[in-house]
Amino acid sequence: MLKHLGATSGIVRAALLALLSLGSAAVPAMEFDYPPDVRPILEQRCMVCHGCYDAPCQLKLDDWLGVGRGGSKEKVYDGRRLITAQLTRLYEDGFTEEEWRARGFHPVLEDADPAQGVLRRMLALKQAHPLPTTGVLPDSFDFRLDREQSCPRPDQMDAYAEARPEQGMPFGFPGLDAEEQAVLTRWLGAGAPGTPVPVPSAAEQAEVQRWEAFFNGTSLRERLMARYMYEHLFIGSLHFDDLPERSGWYRLVRSRTPPGQPIDLIATRRPFDDPGTATFHYRLQRRQTAILDKRHMPYALNAARLQRWTALFLDPDYRVTALPGYDRDTAANPFATFAELPVESRYRFMLDEAHFTIMGYIKGPVCRGQVALNVIDDQFWVAFIRPNSQAPDQKAAFLAEQSRNMVIPRPKGGPVITLLQWREYAANQERYLQARAKTIAEVVDTGAIDLTLEQLWDGGPERNRNAALTVFRHGDSASVVKGFVGARPKTMWFIDYSLLERIHYLLVAGFDVYGNVAHQLESRLYMDFLRMEGELNFLQFLPIERRPVLRDHWYRGAEDHVRDFIASPETAPYQRDTAIPFRSATPERELMDLLRSRIAGAAEHDWIAADDEAFAALAGVQSAAFSHLPEVAFVQVLARDGSSRALSLLHNRAHTNIARMFGEDERLVPEEDTLTVVEGLIGAYPNMFFQVTDAQRAEFVRALLALESDADYGALVQHYGVRRTAPWFWRVSDALQDLHHARRPVEAGIFDLNRYENR
């Protein structure tokens, strides 16, 4: 990387050389960034496709370090991979160019002649061969996510340019304007120099010191608490919101060095893997990568949070007798690892920021979640069982007794899943559900608990808005937002402590995007059980006679053994009736309405498209017309005064059931599809941009409801859409991005355009 420091000062070079002497893992590579005039161009024109793990050719431009690393012909996402892939995470698995070349990465910069660098030539190729300015791009443009990628090395660029002259960068979008092209050309010609990142303010450094001291307490309780927090927060973008000015973003890491020294990162595949050293420290490492919407998960650290965590974990009277190890067979089981931490403290820790907790599974840095996400419906609501020491899943003794039945699948390294493994997971889940149902029945029979609304978390006295969530699936990605958004969904999940913990350790802490196909499939199969458990929790609050009716509707066409896991006396022998006095023939809808009026933030969310009668006509409509729409469309509504606002159209596809991994298209029910319209932008991967004026809104809605074919959709795009070929494409993209940041300045990130349509 040193040879690409370019115009940076000799002082900076000397400083980096000194840090390199500490060993590659200690290199603070985030000390350099793109120059101020370069960064916004790369963010809005390059990172929109080259940011997440599935960036073409693994060319991740979300940080200056990625330019020096270059590209690779190996894919991170390979559904046919039989052997676990080598890790190629920026800032974790390599820092110097030599390390990345050893891992098979080729340069995209050229030192001897900068004009011959791959990146510069790709940009020049687009300028020499611009896209057509109308219509759909030809089939020679392959936008499939699993397409074969060329990934030319410097010595292959002549052949690439001759074979694919129209496929310069940005691929499949209009080229840069003259000013943008000039800025990047000058920068690449100078060797793509980095710019030193300003040192954090004294106040921000003081916050880092305060929190690192908290995470590195020496008592057994403090050390076990810190491990629990690390394994739940490692994925987050931490920030200090008590400061008068916005702080930088940080991540919680493990380091061989203590606070006050440069971080010597311990890079493991999973957060619960053995750190390889008896002594290590939890540190806050500054994030310099761009804020991408797909992986951005903000989490505030402040005085109130410190007080809350102290009250949860340090003030209660309990003992930790010994620290758990990192044994391969038990480290992935939080019920065993953290058995001596109070269960209620653990649950409240996750509930306080339940949106963040669920977002780890729904939104996190996994760029393609088809295997994991076809296990959920396209729209559903989530509520939580309230903290209650009488609930079996919140009793330490019950969890310890059932910990073997709740073991999360741990990859064995083999390429296949055996029938024996599947049956073992099914048997474990069945034993757990039976034990849980028996215990719930006992406490209900004694009068300790009634199945009423009181057993559901309403946000507590502080009216915590994390108590009501909505999940939207968008094909192979998904989003989660606060509030019950959209029309009443087909189903709902009630999540208790043990379920929330297992979801996290299965699909966040324990999920490996570099894993083999067996790991991917195993995770998906196990998640089937967890989804059905959440649905079962919902059914238990409904009248007994209604439970099998709903189960059969949710699982139309599914095998008998799948339906037996939902409200079946054989699998979950809980046959106590609800104590909620329902009055209608559809108690599931009645319950949803009761929850929307009772839970904090369920109805008063900020996603409602307020006072928009035109789009309100789409609410609650089921129609096959929507089946022609993409998963996520953004609409820029233009006002007469020159201002604009942004809406999201979220296509919710209906299924007969989601109990099978393959053949999803065969289980679609287009006539039951719905469309959720929200104010603001939801979805990290927009598939289409539309522009309508205030006066065109009603006409646009009528056109949506009248869709009968893909040809009709093409006409809709022709009239209102912004195709890849539109010369004004980047202007609309920038405007929507600006509206997103203005509306949600902390949560917003850069959208990814890899899934943008060409039709």
Side-chain angles (χ1 to χ4, degrees):
M1 185 61 66
L2 288 175
K3 57 188 176 184
H4 291 309
L5 288 177
T8 52
S9 70
I11 295 176
V12 172
R13 286 173 177 265
L16 189 53
L17 278 168
L19 289 165
L20 278 167
S21 67
L22 296 174
S24 64
V27 177
M30 301 182 207
E31 296 302 320
F32 294 92
D33 193 6
Y34 293 116
D37 59 337
V38 170
R39 185 178 183 92
I41 302 173
L42 290 177
E43 284 185 344
Q44 298 302 324
R45 304 293 180 266
C46 303
M47 294 180 200
V48 290
C49 289
H50 289 273
C52 205
Y53 279 130
D54 64 347
C57 305
Q58 289 199 60
L59 178 59
K60 280 172 56 66
L61 299 177
D62 53 333
D63 187 82
W64 177 75
L65 183 66
V67 181
R69 181 178 80 161
S72 170
K73 294 181 182 291
E74 296 295 323
K75 293 181 179 180
V76 172
Y77 290 90
D78 185 352
R80 298 163 296 181
R81 182 165 57 220
L82 299 181
I83 301 174
T84 299
Q86 70 170 344
L87 299 172
T88 57
R89 300 166 299 184
L90 277 173
Y91 306 120
E92 295 185 58
D93 305 314
F95 290 87
T96 66
E97 287 188 20
E98 291 72 19
E99 289 172 325
W100 290 120
R101 299 297 169 262
R103 289 178 177 261
F105 282 76
H106 59 260
V108 295
L109 303 173
E110 181 58 52
D111 297 307
D113 184 1
Q116 297 304 308
V118 170
L119 191 53
R120 182 166 172 177
R121 291 194 64 184
M122 283 288 191
L123 292 170
L125 190 63
K126 174 54 69 73
Q127 296 294 313
H129 300 276
L131 293 184
T133 56
T134 60
V136 175
L137 290 171
D139 291 341
S140 58
F141 286 86
D142 188 354
F143 298 113
R144 294 174 304 160
L145 293 178
D146 60 350
R147 67 183 181 272
E148 292 297 323
Q149 298 180 5
S150 298
C151 309
R153 297 188 300 268
D155 61 339
Q156 298 171 325
M157 268 305 298
D158 286 341
Y160 178 92
E162 182 176 354
R164 308 182 182 198
E166 76 285 1
Q167 294 187 15
M169 297 299 155
F171 174 68
F173 288 112
L176 310 184
D177 65 29
E179 182 179 353
E180 293 168 339
Q181 185 77 14
V183 170
L184 291 192
T185 298
R186 286 194 301 269
W187 176 66
L188 293 169
T195 298
V197 175
V199 175
S201 67
E204 188 168 323
Q205 293 182 57
E207 286 295 302
V208 171
Q209 293 170 6
R210 176 169 72 148
W211 281 99
E212 288 189 341
F214 176 79
F215 288 124
N216 290 285
T218 57
S219 71
L220 294 182
R221 284 203 300 178
E222 289 172 307
R223 292 171 67 185
L224 188 59
M225 172 196 71
R227 176 172 172 176
Y228 184 79
M229 290 179 172
Y230 167 69
E231 292 185 12
H232 288 75
L233 299 179
F234 74 98
I235 199 173
S237 297
L238 311 181
H239 64 113
F240 310 116
D241 65 349
D242 276 346
L243 299 179
E245 296 182 359
R246 185 179 301 177
S247 77
W249 300 101
Y250 292 81
R251 64 178 187 140
L252 188 60
V253 301
R254 295 185 293 187
S255 171
R256 298 176 185 85
T257 50
Q261 296 182 20
I263 291 174
D264 186 358
L265 185 70
I266 297 173
T268 56
R269 193 172 285 268
R270 299 173 182 83
F272 50 75
D273 286 345
D274 193 333
T277 177
T279 303
F280 63 89
H281 308 269
Y282 296 105
R283 304 288 304 280
L284 290 175
Q285 185 182 55
R286 188 161 51 153
R287 287 185 182 272
Q288 193 56 40
T289 52
I291 304 302
L292 303 177
D293 205 80
K294 177 61 181 77
R295 70 177 184 217
H296 184 48
M297 297 176 55
Y299 196 104
L301 299 179
N302 48 44
R305 183 88 66 198
L306 189 63
Q307 184 179 10
R308 172 66 165 170
W309 288 353
T310 299
L312 288 178
F313 292 100
L314 302 181
D315 289 345
D317 183 16
Y318 69 97
R319 287 187 61 203
V320 174
T321 59
L323 294 178
Y326 289 90
D327 178 81
R328 177 181 175 86
D329 293 329
T330 59
N333 187 339
F335 309 110
T337 301
F338 302 106
E340 293 193 312
L341 280 184
V343 176
E344 183 176 347
S345 298
R346 287 181 259 162
Y347 191 27
R348 290 188 182 277
F349 169 83
M350 288 194 289
L351 282 186
D352 282 351
E353 296 293 340
H355 177 244
F356 174 89
T357 306
I358 297 295
M359 189 160 49
Y361 150 47
I362 294 298
K363 183 180 176 182
V366 179
C367 311
R368 299 184 197 172
Q370 179 69 24
V371 171
L373 290 176
N374 72 5
V375 75
I376 63 174
D377 283 294
D378 272 32
Q379 179 215 7
F380 61 96
W381 292 350
V382 175
F384 300 90
I385 305 298
R386 72 175 177 88
N388 184 343
S389 60
Q390 296 299 316
D393 76 290
Q394 296 177 47
K395 288 179 177 290
F398 178 82
L399 292 174
E401 178 184 297
Q402 293 296 317
S403 62
R404 289 186 176 275
N405 291 330
M406 295 188 287
V407 171
I408 303 300
R410 175 77 187 211
K412 308 296 191 299
V416 297
I417 299 174
T418 67
L419 181 60
L420 181 62
Q421 284 175 283
W422 165 250
R423 287 177 174 171
E424 179 184 351
Y425 296 147
N428 285 343
Q429 180 71 357
E430 184 174 334
R431 283 191 292 269
Y432 169 72
L433 289 177
Q434 289 176 342
R436 180 177 175 276
K438 178 181 178 181
T439 306
I440 292 177
E442 290 173 352
V443 296
V444 169
D445 290 345
T446 62
I449 288 180
D450 284 328
L451 290 183
T452 67
L453 295 178
E454 294 300 318
Q455 298 307 317
L456 298 171
W457 184 49
D458 63 3
E462 64 275 15
R463 304 290 293 167
N464 190 322
R465 294 181 69 246
N466 285 270
L469 304 176
T470 300
V471 174
F472 294 102
R473 177 191 167 200
H474 324 297
D476 66 353
S477 69
S479 304
V480 56
V481 297
K482 294 178 182 177
F484 290 156
V485 180
R488 287 184 300 253
K490 179 179 73 174
T491 184
M492 192 171 176
W493 295 11
F494 286 175
I495 297 180
D496 56 24
Y497 165 68
S498 68
L499 180 56
L500 189 59
E501 198 78 273
R502 280 175 286 153
I503 290 174
H504 175 78
Y505 275 85
L506 176 70
L507 294 176
V508 184
F511 193 78
D512 179 16
V513 298
Y514 296 89
N516 62 16
V517 63
H519 169 61
Q520 315 282 336
L521 297 178
E522 208 171 0
S523 299
R524 195 274 183 219
L525 291 173
Y526 195 84
M527 187 59 202
D528 257 334
F529 298 127
L530 302 188
R531 180 201 67 246
M532 289 188 284
E533 186 177 329
E535 294 171 338
L536 173 61
N537 290 343
F538 172 66
L539 289 177
Q540 287 179 341
F541 283 78
L542 299 177
I544 288 179
E545 65 275 9
R546 187 63 178 171
R547 297 170 191 171
V549 175
L550 279 182
R551 175 202 64 186
D552 292 344
H553 178 65
W554 295 345
Y555 289 90
R556 288 170 285 173
E559 291 83 355
D560 290 342
H561 72 272
V562 173
R563 292 198 304 273
D564 285 347
F565 266 93
I566 299 292
S568 167
E570 290 77 23
T571 303
Y574 178 79
Q575 296 299 310
R576 303 299 190 274
D577 210 344
T578 179
I580 301 173
F582 291 106
R583 296 178 173 83
S584 71
T586 54
E588 66 278 5
R589 295 186 176 187
E590 192 176 343
L591 178 56
M592 290 178 184
D593 290 341
L594 289 170
L595 294 175
R596 181 146 47 182
S597 64
R598 182 178 188 274
I599 296 179
E604 296 90 21
H605 53 78
D606 54 1
W607 296 105
I608 297 175
D611 302 324
D612 199 322
E613 294 182 3
F615 285 100
L618 297 168
V621 174
Q622 292 185 341
S623 174
F626 303 144
S627 66
H628 302 288
L629 294 172
E631 280 90 0
V632 179
F634 292 165
V635 182
Q636 185 186 22
V637 181
L638 307 170
R640 289 183 178 180
D641 62 4
S643 64
S644 66
R645 61 191 180 104
L647 302 176
S648 298
L649 303 182
L650 306 177
H651 173 202
N652 308 313
R653 298 167 303 169
H655 301 75
T656 55
N657 71 80
I658 50 172
R660 282 190 287 130
M661 191 178 314
F662 305 110
E664 182 175 2
D665 289 348
E666 301 169 2
R667 290 175 281 119
L668 296 176
V669 190
E671 60 271 19
E672 296 179 11
D673 284 7
T674 62
L675 195 64
T676 301
V677 183
V678 299
E679 191 85 34
L681 300 178
I682 295 177
Y685 296 99
N687 306 120
M688 178 57 64
F689 299 152
F690 291 104
Q691 283 185 305
V692 299
T693 65
D694 273 334
Q696 292 174 322
R697 286 175 299 148
E699 176 188 342
F700 178 67
V701 168
R702 285 194 293 271
L704 292 176
L705 291 168
L707 294 174
E708 294 184 351
S709 66
D710 287 344
D712 289 345
Y713 176 73
L716 180 80
V717 173
Q718 179 67 27
H719 193 62
Y720 299 103
V722 183
R723 286 196 168 109
R724 285 172 171 266
T725 53
W728 59 91
F729 178 88
W730 292 120
R731 186 167 68 248
V732 178
S733 177
D734 292 347
L736 289 168
Q737 193 73 67
D738 290 344
L739 288 168
H740 186 44
H741 278 89
R743 183 176 179 82
R744 313 194 75 81
V746 175
E747 296 92 345
I750 300 168
F751 295 121
D752 193 307
L753 300 180
N754 271 300
R755 291 149 176 80
Y756 203 84
E757 288 189 335
N758 179 45
R759 62 180 178 126

